[in-house]
Every structure is written in structure tokens, then in C-alpha cells.
Amino acid sequence: MTRTKIVAGNWKMNTNLDEARALAVAIAGGAGAARGVDLAVFPPFPWIASVRDELGGSGVQVGAQNCYIQKSGAFTGEISPWSLVGVCQMILAGHSERRHVMGESDEFVGQKVDATLTAGLTSVLCVGELLGERQSGAALDVVTRQLGAGLAGVDTGHLDRLVIAYEPVWAIGTGVAATPDDAQEMCEAIRRWMTDRFDEAGDAIRVLYGGSVTPDNADELFRRPDVDGGLIGGASLKADAFLAIAVAAGAVGV
Ligand code: PGA
């Protein structure tokens, strides 16, 4: 199975409009150097359309960092995946900051995945264990529990629009990435979980690693056979670093 790598930048709650535009222009300008890689950025909600315009014909996709689970209605402050159709292509679900800062449950995350896929967009389901859970040997149990609830309602006809991001919480924003061996081990376990349930369609789902990916460690992580790219936080706010990571993914190939 060949899987095109993805390098996606999660800008989190960073950038004002001018900064977001400038970052998009710089990324669009350098994206051509990353061959054979799918690139995406996830700006804050209000900048999505402007970033999309600045990215123009560069091929870099745009995504949202979050969404609600209903099509429309009286849900003040929330954004429907259906509203994002034609505006962006992807939506994150279950990023660790939403799970652990905002208190989103596994089930709620699953409803977001379902809503996103039903709306016709790509869902990037993020999973990952806390440090204590890894230290106690519970990492795989936690990740498979999050996968089970996250994909409980998924229509198998939508699996070609599903991406998984394995992001150990202890590696996010800490400067301590998982070792390539640890990243590979969990991404492989996630793939096995998918293929057990979805056969070949499961094998085609791309599994990204996220957590302190930098231009220095990207190459080694992306060389592992089950690491199909990265979800990049801090390093995605600097065009040079993000593009260097993208080029590393392109150099490794499928
Ligand atoms: P980081 O964040 O690259 O800053 O560790 C990754 C993420 O939260 O997606």
C-alpha cells in the first residue's frame, strides 16, 4: 500500500490576520519544493478564508481546528462542518488541547468525526496518551479506546476522507518528541487496529505523528514505514521550518 505523506500545520490560537496572511504567502511560495507531499494548514477560524485566498493555486489545503456536531441551529459560538464546505477541506477532531483543556469526551470527539465526514470534509482524528498513561503501560489501551469511540459512528464509505494523528500529549509543545521507534510502534498499532476493522480501506488511512516535530527530527520520524507524515504545532508558525519539514517528507517519499 502506498500512502502519500501529509505535513499539516496546526497554528492553534496564534497569529493575527496580517501574520496569518504573511505566513500563508510564505508557505505558498515555498510549497513547490516539497514534492509528492500533501500539505495543509489549520489557521484560527476567522482567518481561514483569507489564508485560503493567499494560498491560491499552491495546492496547500486549509483546515479548521474544531467544529460542532450539528448542521445548523441555536448553538451560539459554534461552527458547523457544513458551513465550512467550500471554505476549507479538513477539520481536526480531538486534539489533545480540546480533550484536556476543554474537557471533550471520546464520544463527543466521535460525533465531530462523524459530522465532518458526513458533511463531505476530511476528518483528522487526533489520539494520544498522557505521560502517566505511557509510564504505567496504558498508552495502547488509551489510544485504542479513543479510536473506538472516535470512529464508532463512521460510515465505512467515508474512510477515504479519514486521517489519524497520533500525538502523545507529553510530546506536544514540550520539545521532547517521541523517538522514531516509539512513534513507529504506536502508528503501526493504530494501523493494525484499522485493518482489523476495515481491511484494505484501513490500510490506506494515513497515520501521522505529532508532538515536537522539527526540521531536525522530521526525516528520521518520516522514514518509519507507518508514519505517514506529521501534524506540526510550534514549527508550523515559521514558514522556513514548516517547509523544511515538508521537504523532508517529500524526500522520504511514500
Ligand atoms: P507541537 O504541537 O509540534 O508544538 O508539539 C503539535 C500539535 O499540537 O499538533
Side-chain angles (χ1 to χ4, degrees):
M1 172 64 65
T2 55
R3 293 177 295 263
T4 302
K5 286 198 166 30
I6 303 177
V7 172
N10 173 10
W11 296 0
K12 308 193 181 185
M13 199 177 72
N14 296 297
T15 67
N16 60 29
L17 178 55
D18 288 345
E19 291 163 346
R21 280 195 156 131
L23 189 50
V25 168
I27 289 171
R35 294 185 190 286
V37 186
D38 291 342
L39 299 182
V41 294
F42 294 78
F45 267 118
W47 318 147
I48 288 176
S50 302
V51 164
R52 178 201 58 190
D53 293 347
E54 298 294 358
L55 290 170
S58 66
V60 180
Q61 299 204 333
V62 188
Q65 299 172 18
N66 184 34
C67 68
Y68 194 56
I69 60 175
Q70 300 287 344
K71 199 164 188 174
S72 62
F75 303 102
T76 302
E78 296 297 325
I79 308 282
S80 160
W82 285 265
S83 304
L84 293 170
V85 174
V87 182
C88 67
Q89 293 101 336
M90 307 182 174
I91 308 179
L92 299 181
H95 187 277
S96 81
E97 286 140 24
R98 303 243 28 118
R99 292 180 190 270
H100 298 294
V101 182
M102 312 304 167
E104 292 188 3
S105 69
D106 294 342
E107 288 68 30
F108 190 41
V109 170
Q111 290 173 302
K112 293 183 182 208
V113 171
D114 208 16
T116 298
L117 293 173
T118 305
L121 300 178
T122 292
S123 181
V124 181
L125 170 61
C126 305
V127 296
E129 80 285 355
L130 297 162
L131 181 59
E133 292 166 338
R134 173 154 285 259
Q135 287 169 338
S136 68
L140 184 58
D141 286 349
V142 169
V143 166
T144 53
R145 188 198 74 219
Q146 291 173 341
L147 286 172
L151 302 179
V154 81
D155 176 337
T156 51
H158 294 159
L159 290 176
D160 59 334
R161 283 186 282 103
L162 177 68
V163 175
I164 306 294
Y166 168 57
E167 299 204 297
V169 181
W170 46 269
I172 295 177
T174 60
V176 182
T179 64
D181 283 351
D182 285 345
Q184 162 61 23
E185 188 180 29
M186 188 62 85
C187 290
E188 185 185 12
I190 291 171
R191 186 168 323 284
R192 210 175 312 121
W193 191 95
M194 302 286 196
T195 47
D196 282 352
R197 273 152 197 82
F198 307 125
D199 302 317
E200 264 180 49
D203 196 38
I205 293 168
R206 288 172 291 178
V207 182
L208 314 184
Y209 166 78
S212 298
V213 178
T214 66
D216 292 335
N217 61 20
D219 173 78
E220 255 210 276
L221 286 161
F222 297 161
R223 281 188 189 284
R224 303 298 155 129
D226 289 292
V227 179
D228 300 322
L231 183 54
I232 321 298
S236 75
L237 293 169
K238 297 187 194 90
D240 286 357
F242 182 69
L243 290 167
I245 294 168
V247 167
V252 171
V254 292

